[in-house]
Amino acid sequence: MLMKKCGIILAMVNFLLGVGFLKAAAFDVNLEAQTRITQTDYIQNEVLDVLNDRQPLSKTEAYEKLTLKCKKQIDDVQFVFENRLLLWADQTTTDHTVDNAYFSITNGPLIFYLGKQRIKWGTGYFWNPTDVLQAPKDVFDLSESLEGILALRGEYSNPWLTPSLIIALSSNDLSRPASGNYKFAVQLYKLIGTMDLFVNAVYWHDKLQSIGGALSWDVDWFIVNAEIGTVKYQDDHYSVRQALQNPESEMYYNYVLGLARQLGETFFMTVEYYHHGAGLNNTDFDLYIDELRQDADWLQYLGPAMKMNYAAYNASYTLDNAWGIEVAAIAGLDDGTFYVYPRLRYVGNPNYGIELGYFKNFASAMNHEGYYATLVQYAVELRLTGYF
C-alpha cells in the first residue's frame, strides 16, 4: 500500500513539475483536475463471465484525471500539447495518454502540422462514418477527450477549395516497418453560402480503403448534417462482419443524417440517424455471441454500434449560466436496444464544476445488443472538476 501511494504521489509530482516548467517558459497553460467516482451494476450473462476471466470488473470505480493543455506561438510557428494522466484508487499503475503534441507552421495560405494531432473529420454529432482514420468518439460520453494520430498534414487555403493531404503512422504498432504501417488521406473542403462541404478518402496499407463526403448546412431554423462513406476492408481485425462472414472484397456503405438546433448559449438539441453498413443483422449478431462464448479472442470486436441501424437524441439547457442539464438517448433500431443518460451540472464558479450523471440500459434478454454488448444495467457517476 505504501509503495502504491508513493508511486501515485511521484506521478503527480512529476506532472505538476512539468506544469510549473511550462508556465515559467511563458506557455499558455491550462490544468484540469477531475475526480470521478462511479457505481455500476452489470448484467449477469455469459459475456460478462468471459470478460471477468480476462480482467474482473469492479462495481465501484474511482480515479483522478489530470489534463494538461498548453500552447506557444512564436511568429508563424505554434506548438500545441495536451496530455491526460489517470491515477486509479485501487491500482499501483497510472494511465498516461498524449492526445495532441504537434507543431504547426504557417506560410501564407499553406499550413503544415507535424506530430500527434486530432483532425476535424465529418459532421455527425454522435457518429462519423467517413472517419476511418482516427479512433471513434465515445457515444456514451461525447465530452471525453479524443486521442489524435501521429501524422504530417499539409493544408492549403484559397477561395475556391481547401485541400488537405495527410500521411499518418499507426502509433499503436510503431515496431512495424513504416512501409506496412502508414495511412494516406486526402480531404477537400468548400464553403458555399452557409453550407460546409467535405470530400475525403483514406488509404490504409493492407488494412482498408475508404471514400466519402459530408456536409453541414445552416438552414436558419436548423443545421442539417449528413455523412456518407464506403469502406473496403482487407484485414478482418477491423471488421466483425468481415471476420464472421469472410466475404471477399465487399464494399460497405455507412451514413448519418441529422438535425441540430441552437438557441443562443442556453439550449442545444440534435437528433441523428446512423446506418452502419458494416454492422451485423440480428442473426449474425447471435452467431457472433455464440463464437464469443467459445473463444475469448472475439472480445476484440465487442463494443457499441455493432448492428446496422441507430437513432440518437441529445438536448442540453443552461440556466442562469450556472446550472446545466443534458439528456441523451440512443436506440438500436434492429432489436429495440435503448439507453438513456441524463446529467446535471453546476458550473457557476470559473474554478470548479460538479456533475452528476446516470446511465440506464433498458435492454432485456430480448434486446440482444444491449444485453450482451453493453453489459452495464445502470451506472451513477459523480465528477468534481477544478480548473487552474
Side-chain angles (χ1 to χ4, degrees):
M1 179 64 70
L2 179 60
M3 291 184 64
K4 167 186 166 182
K5 289 183 177 179
C6 290
I8 291 176
I9 292 173
L10 182 60
M12 293 185 69
V13 168
N14 289 335
F15 192 84
L16 294 174
L17 284 175
V19 174
F21 170 78
L22 292 170
K23 283 185 174 290
F27 279 76
D28 180 10
V29 179
N30 295 288
L31 176 65
E32 177 184 301
Q34 185 177 91
T35 298
R36 294 192 187 184
I37 304 171
T38 307
Q39 179 69 28
T40 305
D41 186 53
Y42 295 98
I43 297 173
Q44 302 298 316
N45 58 39
E46 310 95 308
V47 176
L48 183 67
D49 294 337
V50 174
L51 280 170
N52 280 325
D53 287 341
R54 289 286 185 95
Q55 182 177 355
L57 299 175
S58 174
K59 288 190 174 183
T60 302
E61 184 179 83
Y63 65 87
E64 303 284 337
K65 184 175 78 165
L66 300 178
T67 304
L68 172 66
K69 298 180 181 181
C70 63
K71 294 182 181 181
K72 179 70 171 181
Q73 181 83 39
I74 302 176
D75 297 328
D76 294 329
V77 179
Q78 183 182 56
F79 172 71
V80 175
F81 180 80
E82 296 183 13
N83 180 78
R84 280 180 287 151
L85 180 67
L86 299 185
L87 310 172
W88 298 87
D90 58 346
Q91 298 180 22
T92 58
T93 59
T94 60
D95 291 335
H96 176 266
T97 303
V98 176
D99 290 321
N100 289 283
Y102 66 87
F103 291 93
S104 65
I105 302 173
T106 303
N107 183 11
L110 185 61
I111 305 178
F112 285 103
Y113 302 85
L114 177 61
K116 196 171 186 180
Q117 54 196 280
R118 187 75 188 186
I119 302 170
K120 168 66 176 175
W121 202 278
T123 59
Y125 186 77
F126 286 88
W127 296 281
N128 296 114
T130 62
D131 190 358
V132 296
L133 191 65
Q134 305 171 107
K137 304 171 184 174
D138 180 354
V139 294
F140 298 131
D141 188 3
L142 294 172
S143 65
E144 190 57 83
S145 301
L146 295 171
E147 185 177 358
I149 58 174
L150 191 62
L152 169 64
R153 175 164 60 111
E155 181 178 295
Y156 183 79
S157 299
N158 64 81
W160 301 104
L161 193 66
T162 299
S164 297
L165 302 178
I166 303 160
I167 301 175
L169 290 177
S170 298
S171 57
N172 292 333
D173 193 8
L174 293 178
S175 60
R176 293 182 57 192
S179 60
N181 197 29
Y182 70 87
K183 308 172 189 177
F184 179 73
V186 178
Q187 185 174 78
L188 305 176
Y189 167 72
K190 174 67 175 176
L191 175 63
I192 303 175
T194 59
M195 181 186 296
D196 298 285
L197 290 171
F198 301 86
V199 175
N200 45 55
V202 176
Y203 174 80
W204 192 349
H205 186 66
D206 288 339
K207 300 293 189 299
L208 61 84
Q209 293 90 47
S210 173
I211 187 168
L215 67 84
S216 178
W217 187 16
D218 187 343
V219 294
D220 194 17
W221 278 93
F222 291 96
I223 296 175
V224 179
N225 66 279
E227 286 186 52
I228 183 169
T230 179
V231 60
K232 176 183 176 182
Y233 294 99
Q234 294 177 290
D235 191 325
D236 293 352
H237 287 88
Y238 296 92
S239 170
V240 60
R241 182 170 171 180
Q242 190 97 351
L244 199 62
Q245 298 180 349
N246 199 27
E248 295 183 2
S249 303
E250 185 171 348
M251 306 290 289
Y252 301 108
Y253 295 90
N254 314 303
Y255 58 86
V256 157
L257 299 173
L259 293 175
R261 173 71 166 154
Q262 180 84 46
L263 293 177
E265 297 181 356
T266 61
F267 177 77
F268 172 78
M269 181 272 293
T270 185
V271 292
E272 209 165 78
Y273 168 72
Y274 173 43
H275 176 73
H276 183 206
L280 303 176
N281 59 32
N282 291 337
T283 300
D284 286 337
F285 183 82
D286 293 342
L287 177 60
Y288 164 76
I289 296 300
D290 289 339
E291 295 284 357
L292 178 56
R293 292 186 181 110
Q294 301 174 48
D295 186 354
D297 287 343
W298 286 90
L299 280 172
Q300 65 181 303
Y301 301 107
L302 191 69
M306 294 185 66
K307 289 193 176 181
M308 303 186 74
N309 297 285
Y310 299 88
Y313 172 82
N314 184 84
S316 60
Y317 179 74
T318 303
L319 179 64
D320 296 331
N321 294 319
W323 292 94
I325 184 169
E326 180 177 356
V327 179
I330 295 178
L333 303 180
D334 295 295
D335 66 0
T337 291
F338 185 70
Y339 317 101
V340 63
Y341 40 110
R343 294 181 180 180
L344 179 65
R345 300 186 180 95
Y346 176 75
V347 289
N349 189 296
N351 297 320
Y352 69 87
I354 303 172
E355 180 178 309
L356 181 64
Y358 177 72
F359 174 87
K360 174 60 178 174
N361 180 0
F362 287 94
S364 68
M366 299 295 293
N367 316 116
H368 286 188
E369 182 176 20
Y371 187 75
Y372 289 109
T374 306
L375 293 176
V376 175
Q377 187 160 336
Y378 75 83
V380 179
E381 183 182 64
L382 176 65
R383 300 184 186 184
L384 306 174
T385 308
Y387 306 95
F388 306 93

